[in-house]
Amino acid sequence: MKKETITAIFFGLLFGGIMAVFISLKSKDIELSKNKVIAPPKEKSSTNLNGLEMQPLEISEPANNAIFEKDIIRFKGTAAKDSLIVIQSPIKDLVVKNTQGKFDLEFPLALGENSIKIVIYPKEKQFRPQEKYMKVYYIDSEL
Amino acid sequence: MKNILRNTFLVSYVIVLLIGQNVVAQTPSATASSSPTVVVDKDIQQLKDKIANKVSEIRKENNKAISGFILSVDGNNMKLDNTGDVNQVKFDDTLTKAFKVLGTTKKEIKTSDITKGDYAIVSGVVADNVITANVVLIDENFLVDSGKITEINKDTYNIKVLTTDKNTYSLDIETGTKQYMINIKTLAREVIGFSKLKEGDMIHFVVKKTSEQKNKDHSAVKILIIPQEYFIK
């Protein structure tokens, strides 16, 4: 094989490789920029016939299916001001008025699974109650 | 020839010298003081602690809990019906502990005592859709729900409840059923009798579920009434 042919093959491979790497990186960037985050739509606040809006029930703590090593947890979240909060589990009924809008309530857990239902009865009677259901687990660390 | 021999010797000498020096450098000095060893031991201990903490953190992150009625138990494998999904559980002879929950206490049992139809709560690490159980708790399954009382039968002590997701439950109020009502002024929970229940009241209830039960007829464990007067005050 001639020296010129070998040089041509060498440079051909070199430039081809550089181009392939460049194109691959560029197409990845374009693909990433085209991707959009898929997130659940934000919960809409309910509106009554008079156009009044009600703050939706949101629970920041605890998370559904969470595991705890202590038998007391705190329910934290937000709900409509002056609504009635009812939190029920097989071992506890908690009924409080949500005077602030935000709530932070202590709640006991039984060993193992705790099925808990949270219901908010709004002060404005034309609104429907809001509900959330969750399971949390208390697994003693000594087990 | 002489030159070759001389060079070979010279190169061999240099190599032996270099290797020899390295070996001497790696051999711990017998006269070295004990303080560097203590520092190394401390470092090793710190590293061990860090690794242990990290392992514990990862275990905690991967630790999951599932629950459901037992579909089958076969040696060290168990299948759970987790509200329609079937979960595979593996017992580890050295790791898995099983308990029966008796109210507020628990009693240790053998995994061989676990039977089909029991309600199990399993905590462990999930890998390839199989949970290796650290702890298995055999307990009762409770359903907690709420709705409006639509019908009261005073002869059979039975009530019908319509929930917000349009399910109708038939609840038997037994002598053992804990019955409470909210005082609409103080919001305190007061003990009541069956006669206090009215159609239109909101009710929060707890019932026990078994693996055989498929309908929505239950014996109530506990009820909490929010009287309709609370909503019209």
Side-chain angles (χ1 to χ4, degrees), chain A residues 74-94:
Chain A
R74 300 199 77 86
F75 269 92
K76 292 182 185 175
T78 53
K81 209 176 167 185
D82 291 324
S83 56
L84 185 74
I85 302 175
V86 182
I87 306 177
Q88 189 179 44
S89 79
I91 63 155
K92 177 78 178 173
D93 303 320
L94 184 66

Side-chain angles (χ1 to χ4, degrees), chain B residues 149-188:
Chain B
I149 299 176
T150 54
E151 211 179 303
I152 295 177
N153 189 326
K154 287 186 175 168
D155 298 324
T156 56
Y157 291 93
N158 175 275
I159 58 172
K160 296 269 192 297
V161 177
L162 179 68
T163 63
T164 45
D165 46 5
K166 309 288 177 211
N167 281 321
T168 301
Y169 285 94
S170 172
L171 303 181
D172 287 330
I173 310 297
E174 316 268 357
T175 46
T177 305
K178 292 173 184 166
Q179 302 173 65
Y180 302 103
M181 184 178 273
I182 293 299
N183 181 314
I184 60 169
K185 285 180 185 159
T186 63
L187 298 184

Side-chain angles (χ1 to χ4, degrees), chain B:
Chain B
M1 188 67 191
K2 244 182 187 179
N3 265 348
I4 291 170
L5 276 172
R6 199 183 61 198
N7 285 342
T8 310
F9 177 75
L10 211 72
V11 168
S12 303
Y13 179 73
V14 169
I15 288 168
V16 166
L17 207 72
L18 281 171
I19 292 171
Q21 215 169 24
N22 263 350
V23 169
V24 168
Q26 280 172 11
T27 312
S29 166
T31 54
S33 67
S34 61
S35 61
T37 316
V38 171
V39 170
V40 169
D41 283 353
K42 218 176 177 181
D43 286 349
I44 289 169
Q45 193 52 48
Q46 274 180 350
L47 193 69
K48 273 183 182 175
D49 291 347
K50 269 185 187 173
I51 292 167
N53 285 342
K54 199 73 198 165
V55 167
S56 156
E57 241 173 65
I58 291 166
R59 273 180 77 94
K60 226 174 216 180
E61 272 172 29
N62 293 330
N63 211 34
K64 297 262 183 299
I66 56 161
S67 52
F69 287 107
I70 298 169
L71 295 170
S72 64
V73 197
D74 180 18
N76 277 347
N77 295 298
M78 177 169 84
K79 278 184 184 172
L80 282 188
D81 176 10
N82 186 6
T83 53
D85 294 334
V86 176
N87 290 123
Q88 299 259 15
V89 180
K90 207 171 85 182
F91 300 141
D92 184 320
D93 291 336
T94 54
L95 187 76
T96 309
K97 282 183 178 179
F99 298 89
K100 191 171 177 69
V101 179
L102 308 157
T104 53
T105 58
K106 62 188 182 296
K107 185 188 157 199
E108 187 154 10
I109 55 168
K110 290 175 188 167
T111 51
S112 55
D113 296 333
I114 297 169
T115 52
K116 184 184 166 185
D118 282 347
Y119 190 73
I121 299 134
V122 179
S123 153
V125 178
V126 181
D128 299 328
N129 290 324
V130 178
I131 183 164
T132 305
N134 292 336
V135 178
V136 181
L137 296 169
I138 302 298
D139 199 358
E140 286 172 314
N141 178 223
F142 293 99
L143 168 83
V144 183
D145 212 338
S146 63
K148 189 178 267 188
I149 299 176
T150 54
E151 211 179 303
I152 295 177
N153 189 326
K154 287 186 175 168
D155 298 324
T156 56
Y157 291 93
N158 175 275
I159 58 172
K160 296 269 192 297
V161 177
L162 179 68
T163 63
T164 45
D165 46 5
K166 309 288 177 211
N167 281 321
T168 301
Y169 285 94
S170 172
L171 303 181
D172 287 330
I173 310 297
E174 316 268 357
T175 46
T177 305
K178 292 173 184 166
Q179 302 173 65
Y180 302 103
M181 184 178 273
I182 293 299
N183 181 314
I184 60 169
K185 285 180 185 159
T186 63
L187 298 184
R189 199 180 67 162
E190 294 170 349
V191 177
I192 55 158
F194 186 79
S195 61
K196 291 276 185 186
L197 306 187
K198 297 188 301 294
E199 286 171 10
D201 284 349
M202 295 305 294
I203 182 170
H204 292 248
F205 59 89
V206 177
V207 297
K208 262 183 209 171
K209 276 177 84 178
T210 58
S211 57
E212 296 92 39
Q213 200 160 17
K214 299 288 175 215
N215 58 20
K216 290 192 169 8
D217 298 347
H218 297 278
S219 170
V221 173
K222 182 171 76 170
I223 59 167
L224 174 72
I225 304 292
I226 316 277
Q228 50 203 283
E229 289 80 10
Y230 175 82
F231 302 101
I232 51 172
K233 70 178 179 182

